[in-house]
Amino acid sequence: MNKINYQKELDKVLDGLDGNKPPRLLLHSCCAPCSSYTLEYLSEYFDITVYYFNPNISPKSEFDKRFEEQKRLISQMPHRNPITLVEGKYDYDDFLEIAKGLEDVPEGGERCFKCYRMRLESTARLAKEQDFDYFCTTLSISPLKNSRKINEIGKEIEEKYGVKWLVSDFKKREGYKRSIELSREYSLYRQSFCGCVFSKESRDE
């Protein structure tokens, strides 16, 4: 199977946009650090609504802390086009349901793929309901996340909901490095685990 350069695919999309009116993008975000470079980059091209939907995060206090950091970052970052924020529903039981039977799967495996799908599907559903032009996620900025799988799932969901998936691999072109620089610049809280109890256990081990 040929390896796809998702950054070059994104370049093609951006080059084809109408420069007069920015399209509307619903961007799923897992946290402020991961969204920092992504917002700096994409706000040049899109009218962005950040969708903070992460029922995988535990405990609730961790979920809330990350949301407040996301809100603070958006309020302080300069951006060419509008950026707004929507908080998704938090129900940890929803995550536990999709993780059932996969509790012992190593981090980065099938449990994580199902978690990607849960969050991307919710994003696409909302994008469809509110007439967004594109949906996307910040997840691909992490070196620990499988960008190929994220984009495969995004394309599948695009076909299901009829909203365009914005192909991406935000770690490319030193995007991850830039996110660390921005995290320092804005003194962002950088968590030491992905979010769920399983990733925390993996970190502790």
Side-chain angles (χ1 to χ4, degrees), residues 26-29 51-56 88-89 94 98 112-130 132 134-139 149-165:
L26 186 61
L27 177 68
H28 165 263
S29 174
Y51 182 43
Y52 181 80
F53 175 72
N54 301 290
N56 57 304
K89 177 186 174 185
D94 287 348
I98 65 118
C112 293
F113 300 162
K114 292 188 77 170
C115 187
Y116 300 164
R117 186 177 294 277
M118 174 183 67
R119 289 183 280 175
L120 289 180
E121 185 136 9
S122 178
T123 307
R125 192 180 303 118
L126 182 61
K128 177 75 170 177
E129 291 171 359
Q130 299 191 7
F132 280 84
Y134 292 88
F135 75 104
C136 190
T137 180
T138 64
L139 288 170
K149 196 68 179 178
I150 290 167
N151 281 286
E152 285 177 359
I153 293 170
K155 288 298 289 183
E156 289 173 18
I157 293 173
E158 171 187 88
E159 293 180 10
K160 180 176 179 179
Y161 288 93
V163 180
K164 286 181 281 190
W165 164 250

Side-chain angles (χ1 to χ4, degrees), residues 48-203:
I48 300 174
T49 294
V50 174
Y51 182 43
Y52 181 80
F53 175 72
N54 301 290
N56 57 304
I57 295 176
S58 174
K60 179 64 161 57
S61 58
E62 177 75 16
F63 174 92
D64 292 338
K65 186 172 185 177
R66 296 189 196 189
F67 177 72
E68 290 303 317
E69 283 293 88
Q70 182 73 80
K71 186 190 299 183
R72 181 172 69 83
L73 175 66
I74 291 172
S75 70
Q76 293 179 359
M77 273 189 80
H79 37 84
R80 178 181 174 186
N81 291 306
I83 300 176
T84 55
L85 175 62
V86 172
E87 182 178 8
K89 177 186 174 185
Y90 179 81
D91 189 340
Y92 193 61
D93 288 339
D94 287 348
F95 169 71
L96 292 179
E97 183 62 31
I98 65 118
K100 192 176 293 182
L102 300 169
E103 293 87 352
D104 296 327
V105 172
E107 191 73 3
E110 186 61 32
R111 184 184 64 246
C112 293
F113 300 162
K114 292 188 77 170
C115 187
Y116 300 164
R117 186 177 294 277
M118 174 183 67
R119 289 183 280 175
L120 289 180
E121 185 136 9
S122 178
T123 307
R125 192 180 303 118
L126 182 61
K128 177 75 170 177
E129 291 171 359
Q130 299 191 7
D131 294 322
F132 280 84
D133 300 296
Y134 292 88
F135 75 104
C136 190
T137 180
T138 64
L139 288 170
S140 70
I141 199 168
S142 170
L144 301 176
K145 298 291 186 294
N146 187 321
S147 295
R148 178 185 60 80
K149 196 68 179 178
I150 290 167
N151 281 286
E152 285 177 359
I153 293 170
K155 288 298 289 183
E156 289 173 18
I157 293 173
E158 171 187 88
E159 293 180 10
K160 180 176 179 179
Y161 288 93
V163 180
K164 286 181 281 190
W165 164 250
L166 188 67
V167 64
S168 61
D169 189 356
F170 294 120
K171 70 177 72 64
K172 298 293 187 182
R173 296 184 184 158
E174 300 194 321
Y176 178 66
K177 179 182 177 184
R178 178 59 178 156
S179 74
I180 294 173
E181 293 170 353
L182 288 167
S183 294
R184 292 197 188 107
E185 182 179 337
Y186 290 96
S187 302
L188 297 177
Y189 163 64
R190 288 185 68 88
Q191 62 282 354
S192 57
F193 64 105
C194 174
C196 74
V197 65
F198 309 110
S199 62
K200 189 173 187 297
E201 288 172 354
S202 178
R203 177 206 66 181

